[in-house]
Amino acid sequence: MSARRWLPPVLVAVVLAGQVSACSGGTKGDRVRLGRVARSDVAEVVEAPATVSARATATVRAAAEGTIKRLYVGDGDRVREGDVLAKIDSPTAKEQLDQAREADQSLAGGGASIPSALNMSAFQRRTDRSAQRGFADARKYAMKIPDLKQRAVVLAGITKAEGEYRSAALAAREAVVRLNAGLGSVGSAFSSITNAQRVQTRAAVRAAERTVQGLTIKAPFDGVAGLGGPAGGGNLGDLASKLPQQLQSQAGGSGSASALAGLGGYTGGAAKDASSIATGAPVSGGDAVVTVTDASRLSLAADVDETDVLQIKDGVAADVEFDAVPGGSYEAEVTGIGVTPKESTGGGVTYKVTLALKNGTMSGGGRAPWPKPGMSAVVDLRVRESRDVLSVPSAAIVSSGRDSVVWAVVGGKAERRVVKLGAQGDTTVEVTRGLDEGEQVVVRGADSVKQGQELST
């Protein structure tokens, strides 16, 4: 998409009225017009398609499989941060919390007995290998989460748990070394290995507690509620099925896999429409329940062609029009310029430019309605503006190699002038060198004029 040149319609009429007059020029008089170099305002713009984005949008999801116990909001209801939106009844989540606590308490209380003829070194190595496989599988699965922010949260949780286990496992290995050297007891070594296992059971308890707490769904910020929402990028609850069974058996069936599965919460699941969200309706872990949108401040995401994006700077002003608001005109300002390319439908490359949207006015002077997220728009980015400058109509400019040429009228004859251009609008172009105010120039049919050709008004 190339830069589109623009000048306010009223100003165009004034400029042309003062600049253009009919003339004859030999046999080509019917096609040649003359005008005068005059002063005007010239604005050079880049046009790009854009989409409205809300200040924030969040889809809150079911933390576990169950049924909607109670729904507190409906479509379009305004909510405040922390408001309870829905409650999920999940016997499975509560049972997993009970099991996790029981397994952790069993290890904490020394309930596990030391098997007879136990090879402590081999037992410690098996514990480490199982834990390593579990963390590796958890990390591998987490890397498949498409949402980068959620992926980072989950990976951070896995890294934290892995670090805690590493510290505990080091203490266990040192205890085994002392035992083999005759400096420690079997009970002390076994206790150290059990402490390493408790890293996993404590993580399981934390994850299960978080899941149960998540059964009460609350608004993350002020906004408007909408029942249901889009599909997510993947349900972390599936991590449990990806991890080795040994991890679970180590902690007496506590479900260490569930511990890792809950490190980042649920980040995805099935899409749900409003009709499927109701009291008593079944949900799976990760299903969308309510989407909250904060439209108090809107922004625009414009796709700017690679040939124009280098002209865009932070703070550049823009005019915005919406298909949904005929006769409405809005203003916006560039707040960010992306660096990640995106292939356009025409085969080229575009870059995302973010703009802050401001209030608009209707053609009759009244205030324009506030758009809604997702609406399409066209933005005219004013990349260059020149006030009260020498200018000529765009049709007066003839390209000759690298030069820009204008035909001036001197003594009734055409004289070739190489000019330097400034801001280039849609109908008018700024001339910074080569012409003087008031000079006559060819403004129509310039490409057919020859040096020395007689041109009379």
Side-chain angles (χ1 to χ4, degrees), residues 280-337:
V283 290
S284 297
D287 283 356
V289 179
V290 180
T291 297
V292 179
T293 303
D294 178 3
S296 61
R297 187 168 71 244
L298 298 180
S299 61
L300 292 163
D303 293 323
V304 177
D305 193 87
E306 61 182 324
T307 58
D308 299 321
V309 73
L310 295 180
Q311 303 178 69
I312 312 300
K313 308 294 181 185
D314 283 346
V316 164
D319 299 303
V320 186
E321 295 181 355
F322 292 93
D323 292 338
V325 191
S329 178
Y330 298 76
E331 293 185 350
E333 181 178 312
V334 174
T335 58
I337 304 164

Side-chain angles (χ1 to χ4, degrees), residues 17 26 28 33 36 56 107 122 127 151 169 220 227 231 242 267 277 282 291 294 333-334 366 376 400-401 410 456:
K28 300 180 181 180
R33 284 184 179 272
R36 292 191 181 275
L107 288 177
T127 299
R151 183 193 302 175
L227 300 183
K242 305 292 181 181
T267 62
I277 302 300
T291 297
D294 178 3
E333 181 178 312
V334 174
S376 59
S400 177
V410 180
S456 59

Side-chain angles (χ1 to χ4, degrees), residues 258-273:
S258 298
L260 298 180
L263 288 173
Y266 287 90
T267 62
K272 290 286 187 177
D273 57 30

Side-chain angles (χ1 to χ4, degrees), residues 205-425:
V205 170
R206 290 195 299 268
E209 288 175 342
R210 183 181 301 175
T211 298
V212 171
Q213 291 170 359
L215 298 176
T216 298
I217 295 176
K218 297 181 179 180
F221 44 73
D222 296 355
V224 178
L227 300 183
N235 186 347
L236 288 185
D238 291 341
L239 271 173
S241 64
K242 305 292 181 181
L243 301 180
Q245 185 65 32
Q246 293 96 316
L247 265 177
Q248 300 187 40
S249 61
Q250 282 180 14
S254 66
S256 299
S258 298
L260 298 180
L263 288 173
Y266 287 90
T267 62
K272 290 286 187 177
D273 57 30
S275 62
S276 63
I277 302 300
T279 300
V283 290
S284 297
D287 283 356
V289 179
V290 180
T291 297
V292 179
T293 303
D294 178 3
S296 61
R297 187 168 71 244
L298 298 180
S299 61
L300 292 163
D303 293 323
V304 177
D305 193 87
E306 61 182 324
T307 58
D308 299 321
V309 73
L310 295 180
Q311 303 178 69
I312 312 300
K313 308 294 181 185
D314 283 346
V316 164
D319 299 303
V320 186
E321 295 181 355
F322 292 93
D323 292 338
V325 191
S329 178
Y330 298 76
E331 293 185 350
E333 181 178 312
V334 174
T335 58
I337 304 164
V339 296
T340 303
K342 173 185 175 183
E343 187 172 347
S344 65
T345 54
V349 170
T350 63
Y351 291 84
K352 179 181 176 181
V353 173
T354 304
L355 304 95
L357 183 64
K358 302 178 182 179
N359 291 328
T361 57
M362 300 301 295
S363 55
R367 184 169 179 172
W370 197 231
K372 293 184 178 297
M375 286 185 171
S376 59
V378 174
V379 298
D380 289 336
L381 295 138
R382 300 197 293 270
V383 296
R384 192 173 182 182
E385 294 184 278
S386 298
R387 302 286 185 182
D388 192 30
V389 294
L390 293 182
S391 62
V392 296
S394 302
I397 308 298
V398 179
S399 295
S400 177
R402 293 184 177 182
D403 294 332
S404 296
V405 174
V406 172
W407 291 105
V409 181
V410 180
K413 295 183 178 182
E415 181 179 283
R416 186 177 185 271
R417 298 275 186 88
V418 176
V419 296
K420 184 176 181 180
L421 306 181
Q424 301 178 48

